Amino acid sequence: MKRILPLVAICALMQAVPVFAMDLTVSAKTSGFAFDATGIPNPSPLRYGGELTVEDQLSGGLSGQIALELDPECGNMLKARGIYRTRFLEISAGPSFGILNASGSNSVTSVIQPGLGIGFNLIAPGVAIAKADTDFALPTTSSADGRIFLQKSSLSAGIYLPNAICSFGISQKTSTESGVKTTGLTDMGIYTEAFKKGSSIRISLDFIYRVMDYYIAAGSASNTKTAHLILGGGLNWEPKDDLSFFVKGDGSLYSFSLGSPLTGLDKFLFDVKVGVHYRINTSQN
């Protein structure tokens, strides 16, 4: 519940601010892809999070975006990006902050951890698209053990097929507790989205190979590395030009250890995400 409160506060603040034109996306997520105290992936208890993204057109191809991510697998991040778009190119950059991150009662709660986010897309309309994006924490003068540092990166390339987009992508997100441990999720997958001209529904189907790392120190017996074969899918429904609803989910089909034999890998691990996107176009005098 505490992870959802920042989303509620920002939504309430937005109601008090005059809005002229923006895109608003709100989503909630639950995940079983997390580690227990022994470094074994364990879906119990479920972790919850959410995301709020606001984007406003500033002028021409320039827009501004602010996003709050409460990631149940990695941590909390607040990002701001300036985005420049043309028909063939999209470039974005801006600050990113890890906020209120702590892994346990003995760790230091990082109120604000400064960082930077950059990304770009190369687009050949109707032919292909390539994307690269990263958010990473910047080093601070304090090296006290227990501080949390987040990093997220993704790289993908896709082609347009008749009534579909098919892409191959690699993504990674890590959470490092200084002097204690590092946890990470790395995905390599094939992602497809099918659509039909004139239809309000889009359907996605994903095949993912996920590696989960739990690292204490070199040679530590507590280090674990597991792999998971995952099937995912999603549905996007757009009843109006300015409104759409979406649901995405994935689950592990088979899990195994990439290191020493581990027990407890027979649990079903899954992610579920639901949300809404709304485009607001109003003017106030």
Side-chain angles (χ1 to χ4, degrees), residues 53-65:
T53 302
V54 180
E55 182 173 337
D56 190 18
Q57 189 76 23
L58 301 179
S59 63
L62 184 63
S63 62
Q65 184 186 90

Side-chain angles (χ1 to χ4, degrees), residues 7-283:
L7 287 177
V8 177
I10 290 182
C11 288
L13 179 62
M14 289 170 52
Q15 294 297 319
V17 178
V19 176
F20 298 95
M22 71 177 185
D23 287 287
L24 172 67
T25 304
V26 182
S27 65
K29 180 180 181 181
T30 182
S31 175
F33 282 97
F35 297 99
D36 62 18
T38 65
I40 305 298
N42 192 339
S44 181
L46 290 176
R47 283 75 169 176
Y48 299 93
E51 184 174 346
L52 171 65
T53 302
V54 180
E55 182 173 337
D56 190 18
Q57 189 76 23
L58 301 179
S59 63
L62 184 63
S63 62
Q65 184 186 90
I66 297 177
L68 173 65
E69 299 178 358
L70 309 180
D71 192 325
E73 300 156 349
C74 185
N76 307 324
M77 186 177 289
L78 178 64
K79 305 186 296 184
R81 294 278 186 100
I83 306 172
Y84 180 71
R85 292 186 177 94
T86 69
R87 185 183 179 191
F88 304 103
L89 180 66
E90 178 180 314
I91 301 174
S92 65
S96 64
F97 305 94
I99 57 172
L100 301 177
N101 288 307
S103 65
S105 58
N106 295 324
S107 64
V108 178
T109 298
S110 299
V111 178
I112 296 180
Q113 177 64 49
L116 182 65
I118 54 177
F120 68 87
N121 298 348
L122 299 176
I123 306 165
V127 179
I129 183 170
K131 301 180 180 181
D133 195 90
T134 185
D135 290 283
F136 55 91
L138 297 174
T140 61
T141 55
S142 172
S143 59
D145 289 351
R147 293 188 178 274
I148 306 297
F149 299 87
L150 307 183
Q151 180 169 333
K152 297 183 179 183
S153 302
S154 63
L155 181 67
S156 67
I159 58 173
Y160 287 83
L161 302 173
N163 297 322
I165 302 174
C166 182
S167 61
F168 174 78
I170 302 174
S171 64
Q172 183 180 67
K173 50 188 176 182
T174 61
S175 175
T176 300
E177 185 178 352
S178 178
V180 182
K181 69 175 185 289
T182 297
T183 59
L185 278 75
T186 304
D187 286 355
M188 293 172 281
I190 297 174
Y191 305 86
T192 60
E193 184 179 43
F195 54 88
K196 184 178 180 180
K197 186 175 182 180
S199 174
S200 61
I201 295 177
R202 289 174 173 245
I203 299 174
S204 61
L205 182 64
D206 309 324
F207 298 93
I208 304 168
Y209 174 73
R210 173 170 293 174
V211 176
M212 299 180 65
D213 288 284
Y214 185 91
Y215 180 82
I216 300 297
S220 173
S222 299
N223 295 344
T224 65
K225 182 186 287 284
T226 59
H228 310 267
L229 303 181
I230 296 173
L231 177 65
L235 176 69
N236 186 298
W237 176 47
E238 187 176 353
K240 299 170 58 179
D241 290 342
D242 58 358
L243 178 67
S244 63
F245 302 89
F246 59 89
V247 57
K248 289 183 65 69
D250 55 58
S252 58
L253 302 176
Y254 181 64
S255 302
F256 55 96
S257 174
L258 294 176
S260 302
L262 297 174
T263 59
L265 293 180
D266 56 344
K267 299 180 176 67
F268 179 66
L269 308 176
F270 67 93
D271 291 320
V272 176
K273 181 178 182 179
V274 295
V276 58
H277 173 261
Y278 183 45
R279 178 170 298 157
I280 303 172
N281 290 299
T282 62
S283 60

